[in-house]
Amino acid sequence: MPTTVERIHALMQRGRGPLWCFGFVVGLATGLGALAFAKLHRYWVATYWRRKVLRRAPRRRPTEEPGSDFKPIELKRSGSIVPGIEGLIGNTPLMRIASLSDLTGCEILGKAEYLNPGGSPKDRVALQIINEAEYNGLLVPNTGSWIFEGTVGSTGISLATLAKAKGYNCCIIVPDDVAEEKAMLLRSLGAVVQAVRPRGIVDPRHFVNEARARAQAWTPSENQPYARAFFADQFETEANFDAHYQNTGPEIWRQTGGRVDAFVSGAGTGGTLAGVSAYLKGVADPAAGPPPLTVAADPLGSGVYNRIHFGVMYNATEAEGTRRRHQVDTVVEGIGLNRLTHNLELGLDYIDTAIRVTDDEAVRMSRWLAAHDGLFLGSSSAVHCVAAVRTALRLKKQAPHPEDRPVVVTILADSGARHLSKFQNDAIMEARGLSVVDDISDILQETQELDQHPSSL
């Protein structure tokens, strides 16, 4: 059998050499061109999303000085009558957590998002999703239309709260190990609740995929021909990011008078962390000092910490490369991710670092806050507060003057009233080997330096 070289030599002998050379050059150019285009396309896509976020950024630092065109958000609860339950959403108080502030020598401020009518920051997201769907003609009120969503509770409660008020039906798919009081509340709000076994996101029976499939399979009845089915898609819709970029972030900036040294939040869908971080980074005046440090608070079983520090969305509780395990190794509900959602991706360039929080630390922090501040909070809020304390201590150590009091803002996302059957149940926590004493002395001893995300250096 002739070799490749012998075949080329034979072609040359028959006078086909120039044709072969031409074909070879064309093929080589095509291959190299395709490779270059693929790399250029990846660059274009990354640049597109970066510019899309930057286009949302304010052009100047907002001030309230004479002659400034900055107009702060109008308080909806400033003595006027609000338009229904949606008028109660947002403009939540920013409170000083006294015990943690005094112990750290910093100002640790909690934005009381659990005071939204649905009990969490997801009210903002649900309202934004529904409003955008109505604007785009995907939902029409009072036609018998249905909103479908897969959630561990909070977003479903927010959607159910707004659905009936705005003229929709609501179907919520939840994992069957969610706190029972959440499922009871959903049913009380008129939602149809269906529980499925917890599975990995790649499984078509995962609660999010199940909700999407049911929305796609739904058909209107003859009596309601104009009804529609809408999948809220909280993890991927940009309405989630926008709700916090356009509202939560500006509220925090206004409430602190523009003085924020650090912002701490977990990532359940990534919308709060990404949206607020992007806004605070964009609004800060470089001439006034470094922009706020943005910190992801990550519970056990989540891969966000590794994604921020090492660029890999992976947790040791998962089998390598399969991503099929659900989070059975944490008592925390509402935050933690094992996949890169679109909402989190929008804010990755604005998140500086991450702090991992154990279940034991979260439980003890929740008991401390109840005993010393009268704050009866849920699991995600407790994780946020642990990370806020560690961030505050490290910033205090780095402060140029001993009397400086860095300002750390975090999100109080959930009330303990929704965690009575699990996280706030001492017997259940002790059965899992967790301490329920109000002791955070080990957390207060945290003084190591902040590990910075490479993009922030």
Side-chain angles (χ1 to χ4, degrees):
M1 176 178 256
T3 64
T4 302
V5 175
E6 291 173 341
R7 290 178 179 176
I8 294 173
H9 179 71
L11 288 172
M12 296 290 187
Q13 293 294 330
R14 291 197 294 267
R16 298 181 182 177
L19 179 62
W20 182 88
C21 290
F22 176 76
F24 175 78
V25 171
V26 170
L28 181 62
T30 302
L32 293 176
L35 181 62
F37 179 78
K39 292 185 176 181
L40 187 61
H41 179 262
R42 290 179 61 187
Y43 170 78
W44 282 341
V45 170
T47 302
Y48 167 78
W49 287 117
R50 189 175 297 110
R51 288 178 177 174
K52 188 167 185 178
V53 172
L54 288 175
R55 278 198 298 269
R56 295 184 173 97
R59 299 296 182 185
R60 58 182 65 85
R61 184 186 183 188
T63 65
E64 298 184 49
E65 299 172 356
S68 171
D69 59 354
F70 171 66
K71 296 181 180 179
I73 294 176
E74 181 182 353
L75 285 173
K76 296 178 181 177
R77 284 176 272 182
S78 57
S80 60
I81 298 173
V82 298
I85 194 165
E86 62 188 86
L88 299 174
I89 296 173
N91 290 290
T92 52
L94 186 65
M95 65 164 291
R96 180 178 186 267
I97 304 178
S99 71
L100 302 184
S101 298
D102 295 341
L103 288 169
T104 59
C106 302
E107 295 301 314
I108 298 182
L109 310 178
K111 188 151 178 63
E113 288 293 285
Y114 67 92
L115 295 180
N116 280 303
S120 78
K122 298 300 184 181
D123 285 9
R124 300 174 184 266
V125 177
L127 181 60
Q128 187 92 4
I129 289 174
I130 293 175
N131 284 347
E132 289 191 10
E134 290 178 341
Y135 178 81
N136 293 321
L138 301 176
L139 278 175
V140 179
N142 303 311
T143 58
S145 295
W146 283 80
I147 299 172
F148 291 82
E149 182 59 303
T151 170
V152 295
S154 293
T155 304
I157 292 169
S158 297
L159 286 169
T161 299
L162 289 167
K164 291 300 182 182
K166 294 177 73 68
Y168 301 107
N169 300 305
C170 194
C171 178
I172 304 298
I173 313 298
V174 299
D176 63 10
D177 60 351
V178 73
E180 179 58 28
E181 50 268 38
K182 291 185 179 181
M184 292 173 62
L185 180 54
L186 283 167
R187 295 187 183 96
S188 298
L189 289 168
V192 174
V193 182
Q194 298 182 353
V196 298
R197 284 295 303 157
R199 295 179 172 91
I201 189 64
V202 296
D203 193 314
R205 294 170 295 176
H206 182 274
F207 60 91
V208 173
N209 298 331
E210 186 73 21
R212 180 187 294 106
R214 297 191 186 195
Q216 293 171 345
W218 186 90
T219 56
S221 65
E222 294 181 359
N223 298 329
Q224 297 175 322
Y226 301 106
R228 299 180 180 183
F230 173 73
F231 175 52
D233 200 13
Q234 60 166 324
F235 289 91
E236 306 302 326
T237 176
E238 289 187 21
N240 188 341
F241 176 95
D242 290 342
H244 298 292
Y245 185 91
Q246 297 172 5
N247 297 286
T248 316
E251 288 176 27
I252 290 172
W253 188 261
R254 173 179 51 79
Q255 289 170 320
T256 60
R259 189 191 168 194
V260 182
D261 294 302
F263 172 71
V264 178
S265 177
T269 61
T272 305
L273 176 62
V276 175
S277 296
Y279 179 84
L280 294 178
K281 292 287 191 181
V283 77
D285 185 358
L293 181 74
T294 52
V295 182
D298 210 31
L300 293 176
S302 173
V304 175
Y305 177 91
N306 286 335
R307 181 62 180 83
I308 299 299
H309 284 287
F310 309 114
V312 179
M313 198 75 171
Y314 177 74
N315 188 272
T317 60
E318 299 176 279
E320 181 70 27
T322 62
R323 299 286 172 87
R324 289 184 176 274
R325 293 191 61 181
H326 56 275
Q327 295 181 21
V328 297
D329 56 347
T330 180
V331 299
V332 176
E333 293 182 8
I335 58 173
L337 283 170
N338 279 320
R339 63 188 176 95
L340 183 60
T341 65
H342 181 54
N343 280 285
L344 182 59
E345 186 176 23
L346 283 173
L348 276 180
D349 289 342
Y350 305 96
I351 303 169
D352 295 317
T353 189
I355 293 176
R356 185 172 286 151
V357 178
T358 68
D359 285 350
D360 189 73
E361 291 167 339
V363 173
R364 287 186 286 113
M365 176 59 77
S366 72
R367 274 48 173 186
W368 170 273
L369 292 171
H372 297 270
D373 294 277
L375 286 172
F376 188 58
L377 301 175
S379 55
S380 60
S381 299
V383 170
H384 293 169
C385 288
V386 172
V389 166
R390 287 182 171 155
T391 301
L393 289 172
R394 297 171 188 179
L395 291 181
K396 181 69 173 180
K397 182 179 179 181
Q398 297 168 359
H401 307 291
E403 65 275 11
D404 289 348
R405 297 181 68 88
V407 176
V408 178
V409 177
T410 192
I411 301 293
L412 305 182
D414 51 351
S415 166
R418 291 189 181 169
H419 298 264
L420 294 173
S421 64
K422 291 181 65 178
F423 184 76
Q424 288 292 353
N425 187 312
D426 288 354
I428 290 179
M429 293 298 99
E430 288 176 332
R432 295 187 66 136
L434 304 175
S435 173
V436 295
V437 298
D438 58 334
D439 178 13
I440 59 171
S441 56
D442 58 324
I443 300 172
L444 292 168
Q445 293 173 0
E446 178 65 62
T447 56
Q448 67 187 57
E449 298 292 330
L450 274 171
D451 295 322
Q452 291 284 313
H453 185 346
S455 67
S456 69
L457 298 179

